[in-house]
Amino acid sequence: MTISVDGDGHVVEVHKSLEVNGVRYLIEPVCGENQVINDLKTTLATVIDADDCGLVITAEWIRRCIDDYKDTDDVFQIHFLHGILFSGVRDGCSLSPDAHTFLAGLGMEWHWFLNNDQGNQPLPGPYVILNGAFYEPLRLYADTHAAFFTATRSLRETDASGDNYGHVDVAVPSRLRHHFSSKLPLSSIRVAVKDNFDLEALCIQQILDLGASIIGKTKLCAFAQWEEPTEAIEYLDTPGIMGRDLQQCRHFAALWYGDRLKHAVPDFSSVLWPTDYWNLIEPQQREMGGEFADEVASALQLPSKSFSLKEVWEKQPPEDAGHQSLEEYMIKAMQDMWYDDYHAFDNFRDKYWADHQRAPYVTPPTRAAWNFGKTISRPDRDDAARNVQVFRSWFCDRFYQGSQPLFIMPIENAGPRYRDDPPE
């Protein structure tokens, strides 16, 4: 269905989607919240928790509340103030004349007080009321970069089966439902989950129990392989936690990992700078990395040291290395570990072939990695695993025996990569 609203906030047609002031919404019924509102007509409305405002709602209080709503929530907009329900109020509560004038200037045509003793009161935020029943408006965002494989809630016609290779409309709930009332720490957080996570997995249920909303699953076309932009099929296939607020990411990770994260950071003993890796980085970025390492050492009041991993190996190699250099010992080992990357998807490929009588499409980097991985024998892979374990033991013995150093490592030469600029 579609809901059309006139300029005064009156609902004139009823369908499954809603457009208000150029913003599109999906609407869904809210179970259990229609019994207190049976006498109301079809309209847009907002529930405001007035539990802390006393017996008189003043213009100053309501202005501050609406400003908080606008700052907190992208689903709410002024048009939803066509009707207002003040929840959690005491008997005798009223609007001051200046508050009524202020709200009327924003388009309010009616208001209602819901006393604490009425029970089953709706949560704060915007609503659509149809014949006395509450409907939740979820704002629809167009997935313009085709990042989502599927949306948790969306219009059926734009997300028909989950096998959606076009864009979907991603529906997001109001942050106000729990922001001002819930004790759940992630109550206003929206989460997009990579497609390799089962939505029924314990780690996902954990963040749901903390109050987060799962808005959809993002594509995983690259199978976690490295891709250059010229090789990429999709715009987004990135591992890790991403967000627009670094502090919020930290808060999210702390809640998700819990006690495991609290005890994950040791008391470091020194800051170490492995020159073997940093000498591969272009000078300007290497200089910036060095400044960062100095700041870390200064802030933590730790000694810092530059060293060459190759030189340490040459002076004190592990007995199992057979007098090979570090590079000679590890290069083939690291290559032969690609055996695991290929065979980890054996069941996937077999099932896909059984279901479709053809091989699955994979991106060029994944195809190249798989083609290389299937040339590696199991004995070579086992030799590689032993070499890696020898290196790990040697590394821990040399650097973590009685100390806890902090290594400052580069990832790569960072810089923009454009789709029209193929890698060398």
Side-chain angles (χ1 to χ4, degrees), residues 128-185:
V128 179
I129 300 174
L130 303 176
N131 299 321
F134 273 44
Y135 285 77
E136 176 185 7
L138 298 102
R139 182 165 181 166
L140 289 167
Y141 283 101
D143 178 23
T144 55
H145 286 73
F148 280 81
F149 173 71
T150 185
T152 305
R153 294 186 284 188
S154 186
L155 294 175
R156 183 176 299 277
E157 60 266 29
T158 59
D159 186 19
S161 66
D163 270 341
N164 196 312
Y165 296 100
H167 297 172
V168 300
D169 285 326
V170 181
V172 300
S174 170
R175 300 183 191 276
L176 300 174
R177 295 281 180 264
H178 305 287
H179 182 79
F180 293 106
S181 59
S182 175
K183 296 180 180 179
L184 297 175

Side-chain angles (χ1 to χ4, degrees), residues 30-51:
V30 179
C31 297
E33 291 186 356
N34 58 347
Q35 56 184 329
V36 298
I37 177 109
N38 286 333
D39 297 332
L40 285 181
K41 60 183 179 179
T42 298
T43 183
L44 301 181
T46 296
V47 174
I48 295 177
D49 185 357
D51 180 60

Side-chain angles (χ1 to χ4, degrees), residues 190-208:
R190 303 159 181 166
V191 179
V193 178
K194 295 296 292 184
D195 191 41
N196 56 330
F197 284 90
D198 188 330
L199 291 183
E200 296 181 1
L202 181 61
C203 61
I204 301 301
Q205 187 59 49
Q206 185 178 354
I207 60 176
L208 288 172

Side-chain angles (χ1 to χ4, degrees), residues 336 339 373-382:
D336 287 353
Y339 174 97
K374 65 185 178 182
T375 67
I376 301 168
S377 69
R378 179 70 195 206
D380 284 345
R381 179 267 173 203
D382 291 343

